[in-house]
Amino acid sequence: MTDWRDDLPDVRGKLLLDQPLAPYTWFRVGGPADALFLPKDEDDLAAFLKALPEEVPVHFMGVASNSIIRDGGIEGVTIRLMGGYWGSVEPTGSHSLFARAGALDLAVAKASAKHGISGLTFLSGIPGSIGGAVRTNAGCYGRELKDVANQIEGITRSGEKVRFEAEIAQYGDPKIDFSYRHSNFPDDVIVTGILLTGSGDGDPDALQAEIADHQARRAETQPIKDKTGGSTFANPDPPGTPDARSSWKLVDAAGCRGLRVGGAQVSEKHCNFLINTEDATAADIEALGELVRARVLDVTGVDLRWEIRRIGRIQTKV
Ligand SMILES: Cc1cc2nc3c(=O)[nH]c(=O)nc-3n(C[C@H](O)[C@H](O)[C@H](O)COP(=O)(O)OP(=O)(O)OC[C@H]3O[C@@H](n4cnc5c(N)ncnc54)[C@H](O)[C@@H]3O)c2cc1C
C-alpha cells in the first residue's frame, strides 16, 4: 500500500515525519504528527497547500497553550508557524502593529510598549501565539482580541491568500463572529498575520510597567510555571451576566481541588487549571477533566464545557 507521505510536495522549510509534538506543547504531552510542516515563509506555505492532495487532513497549531494533543498523535499534516520570519512584529503607523502569526502575544505586547502604542498590553497575560489568539478570541483584564484586531491575513487549505477586513471587529460582525474565547474564523484558513490597532498616546515606560504588573498578577494567581493548558472549562455564563458563575468556583464546590488521575492533577493554586505533575499522559489529563465535569454536574447541576481544545487520536492500549 502506498503512503500518502511518499508524495509530499517539495518545501523550502522543514517537513518532518512522525515528529513528536509533546515538546511543542505547554502540557508536554501528546503523540507525533504524521507530518509536521514548518514553512519558511508565506509563499512556501501557500505553494505547499496548493500542491497537497485535498484528501490529506491539515491541522494548525501555535504553541499549544490551549490544546491537549492526544497520545495517538495527529493524522495528516500539522502546520506550525513559529520562529524567525513568523515571529516578526513591526509598527505600521503611530498606533498600529503588524504581527505575523507566530509572534508570541507577549512579544506583541512588548513591541506595543516600545513604540508607545497603548491598548495592547493585555496580550502580555496570554502565553500563546497571536495566530492562536484569533481562533480563541484570547483576552484578559477586560480586553479581547476582537477589540484590537483590524485586518487578518491568512491562507486557505487550497493555498489561496485571503484577507479579512475586520475593521475593529465586534461581536456579531458578519465577517468574523467573535464570542467569549471563541471565533468562527474559518477552520480551513490558517492565520498568517494580523494588523492590531491601539492608540498612539502611550508612554513606553508606563506601558512596560503595565506589562510587569500583568505578569506579577498572573504569577500570583495561576500555576504559570507548571505544565498546563490554561483555563480548562469556559465560564458557564456569558461575560456581563449579573452574578455570573465561575468555573473555578464550581470545580472547588465539587471538591475537585487537588484531584488526581495518573500524573495529572487539578491545580491547588487555581482549580480551573489542570497540570501535568511529571509523567502524565494526554489520556490522564483528559480523563481528569471528564471526572471533574462529572463531579461538578453531580454536585452543582452545571455541565461544564471544555475551553481547551482536544485533538488527535486516542491511543489504543495493546
Ligand atoms: C498559564 C496559561 C494562562 C492562560 N491565560 C489565558 C488568558 O488569560 N486568556 C486567554 O484567552 N487564554 C489564556 N490561556 C490560553 C491560551 O494561551 C490562549 O487560548 C492562546 O490564544 C492560544 O494560543 P496558542 O498559540 O497556544 O494556540 P494553540 O493552543 O496552539 O491552538 C489553539 C487554537 O488555535 C488554532 N490556531 C493556532 N494557530 C493558528 C493559526 N496560525 N491559524 C489558525 N488557527 C490557529 C488551533 O488550530 C487551535 O484551534 C492561557 C494558557 C495558559 C497555559
Side-chain angles (χ1 to χ4, degrees):
M1 202 168 75
T2 57
D3 184 339
W4 58 270
R5 299 181 302 175
D6 294 339
D7 289 322
L8 285 170
D10 289 337
V11 298
R12 286 182 290 112
K14 288 186 182 157
L15 193 48
L16 308 165
L17 302 188
D18 299 318
Q19 177 69 21
L21 291 176
Y24 298 109
T25 73
W26 260 71
F27 269 123
R28 296 287 190 274
V29 298
D34 289 349
L36 176 67
F37 180 36
L38 308 169
K40 192 154 185 84
D41 54 30
E42 263 182 72
D43 289 340
D44 194 25
L45 174 59
F48 175 83
L49 286 170
K50 207 166 269 178
L52 186 71
E54 63 182 28
E55 62 276 13
V56 178
V58 171
H59 304 275
F60 312 134
M61 74 184 279
V63 294
S65 61
N66 193 232
S67 304
I68 296 173
I69 292 174
R70 295 192 174 109
D71 303 307
I74 302 186
E75 71 167 340
V77 178
T78 300
I79 301 179
R80 193 169 186 267
L81 310 180
M82 301 303 296
Y85 173 89
W86 294 107
S88 77
V89 187
E90 296 294 338
T92 55
S94 60
H95 60 285
S96 56
L97 294 169
F98 182 80
R100 291 202 200 279
L104 292 178
D105 298 326
L106 175 60
V108 177
K110 284 185 174 168
S112 75
K114 181 174 163 198
H115 297 288
I117 299 170
S118 57
L120 299 174
T121 60
F122 75 95
L123 288 165
S124 63
I126 305 163
S129 67
I130 201 77
V134 171
R135 161 70 50 213
T136 63
N137 188 24
C140 58
Y141 306 127
R143 304 211 87 191
E144 314 174 285
L145 189 91
K146 72 158 181 67
D147 300 324
V148 296
N150 201 325
Q151 253 176 23
I152 300 172
E153 295 182 0
I155 298 181
T156 64
R157 170 62 184 83
S158 53
E160 187 198 348
K161 292 184 185 174
V162 286
R163 176 182 288 175
F164 295 81
E165 300 290 340
E167 299 177 5
I168 299 294
Q170 292 299 325
Y171 285 162
D173 185 289
K175 293 170 213 149
I176 306 173
D177 194 8
F178 289 97
S179 54
Y180 181 68
R181 299 295 172 265
H182 181 73
S183 77
N184 68 348
F185 193 77
D187 282 339
D188 66 341
V189 177
I190 184 163
V191 175
T192 52
I194 175 164
L195 183 66
L196 297 152
T197 303
S199 47
D201 53 0
D203 167 52
D205 290 337
L207 293 172
Q208 286 291 0
E210 252 176 58
I211 291 176
D213 181 53
H214 291 338
Q215 296 201 297
R217 278 164 68 185
R218 291 263 142 181
E220 221 170 276
T221 55
Q222 294 181 355
I224 55 167
K225 296 229 155 72
D226 287 315
K227 298 174 216 160
T228 181
S231 296
T232 309
F233 304 110
N235 289 328
D237 302 311
T241 310
D243 302 321
R245 295 161 297 175
S246 311
S247 293
W248 79 263
K249 286 188 183 158
L250 296 163
V251 174
D252 215 11
C256 296
R257 189 180 289 263
L259 187 68
R260 278 180 171 275
V261 170
Q265 186 181 22
V266 176
S267 167
E268 296 275 3
K269 192 169 194 175
H270 189 315
C271 61
N272 196 25
F273 282 59
L274 304 183
I275 54 177
N276 172 3
T277 57
E278 213 162 288
D279 54 359
T281 60
D284 290 342
I285 298 171
E286 196 167 357
L288 177 60
E290 287 302 331
L291 180 61
V292 170
R293 284 187 64 226
R295 290 204 183 170
V296 169
L297 183 61
D298 192 37
V299 173
T300 70
V302 177
D303 190 6
L304 289 176
R305 178 174 65 78
W306 282 90
E307 186 170 313
I308 292 181
R309 169 182 80 139
R310 291 148 301 138
I311 181 174
R313 294 174 284 231
I314 293 172
Q315 194 163 50
T316 41
K317 290 189 179 132
V318 278

